[in-house]
Amino acid sequence: MVAESEFSLIEQYFSSLTAEREDVTLGIGDDCALLQCPQGKELAVSIDTLVEGVHFFADVDPHALGFKALAVNLSDLAAMGAAPAWFTLALTLPENNPAWLEGFSSGLATAAKASSIQLVGGDTTRGPLTISIQVHGLVDAGQAVRRDGAKPGDRIYVSGTLGDAGAALKHRLEAWSPDVLNDADWAALQQRLEYPTPRNALAEPLRHFANAAIDISDGLLADLSHILKRSDVGARLQTHDLPLSSSMKKLPKELARELALSSGDDYELCFTVPPKLADELEQQCSDITCIGEITAQSGLILVGASGQETTANIRKGYDHFSA
Ligand SMILES: [Mg+2]
């Protein structure tokens, strides 16, 4: 029974697993946590809810689920240029399943320890499996990187590679299995879907160099279009410059490009940088790729390898379980 004690569940499985920070006056165990927000910092706060059958498959490995539930929230902090500090967890569980809780909490702890974030409170309820995590990050006052700061002429960058998680999802949802991909490719793509790497190491360079940023949860086109809308600008993307993993490069070019543009769940960062800072940025950061530039003219233009232009049809990326 979950109702046996929500308190003991959170304490038993989670309290000792995450980082211990000196700015936590009081963590799990009282009516509220007490947290010290330093002078000159702003608190960056974000919440994300994952529902079984909507955001994840019922048979997902609980370790992967715990990791990803926190990683997607850490990704939002990275996109704002904020450093992870604390998080709270609300778990709705159909039953008290110790093996599931072990796996889930261990995955969560792996993500938490890698980013020095501490669990400071939680709640458990009985019901269909649902995970809500709220993260709190710290950023120098006035220095957060928002979606509304992109300027015409800015270079558009993305971190890592695009489309990997989308390919893994397509494999799972459509039984799509092209001959060019072998077991090692599928393992690599699946890893990207289940264990996305939150790009918190980019938070500081983003604060220094970027005018605007977002994390790619719904697909590059969908998420970049949020920046364009909020900043009241347009963009030209060089679609042959999209960064692809070695597995994605084995696919037909058109298909790889389509996945890189439109599929979600990669949790890479997309950000815009004034051209005069581009060289310094590229010297400081590896694993980022310039894919286009911001334009004063609204709209999103895709430029192909031979220079042909098409206007992007901005739709939502993969809708998890769109069926
Ligand atoms: Mg986001």
Side-chain angles (χ1 to χ4, degrees), residues 160-164 242-249 253 256-257 260:
T161 59
L162 300 177
D164 300 302
L242 297 176
L244 299 176
S245 65
S246 55
S247 301
M248 290 291 288
K249 281 180 183 162
K253 277 204 170 96
R257 173 179 172 275

Side-chain angles (χ1 to χ4, degrees), residues 206-229:
L206 245 58
R207 278 200 311 282
H208 192 68
F209 295 108
N211 279 337
I214 193 167
D215 68 323
I216 304 177
S217 53
D218 295 331
L220 174 63
L221 293 184
D223 289 314
L224 175 59
S225 71
H226 293 310
I227 289 183
L228 303 185
K229 212 179 214 171

Side-chain angles (χ1 to χ4, degrees), residues 151-171:
K151 303 271 185 306
D154 279 2
R155 307 261 169 89
I156 303 169
Y157 285 85
V158 291
S159 62
T161 59
L162 300 177
D164 300 302
L169 209 50
K170 186 175 167 66
H171 178 55

Side-chain angles (χ1 to χ4, degrees), residues 46 48 72 75-76 79 147 214-217 223 267:
S46 179
D48 211 62
V72 301
S75 174
D76 282 323
R147 296 179 182 183
I214 193 167
D215 68 323
I216 304 177
S217 53
D223 289 314
Y267 295 97

Side-chain angles (χ1 to χ4, degrees), residues 26 81 87 125 133 171 204 217-218 259 274 282 304 316:
L26 191 59
F87 72 104
T125 326
I133 289 181
H171 178 55
E204 199 192 327
S217 53
D218 295 331
L259 284 165
E282 291 188 24
K316 254 186 105 61

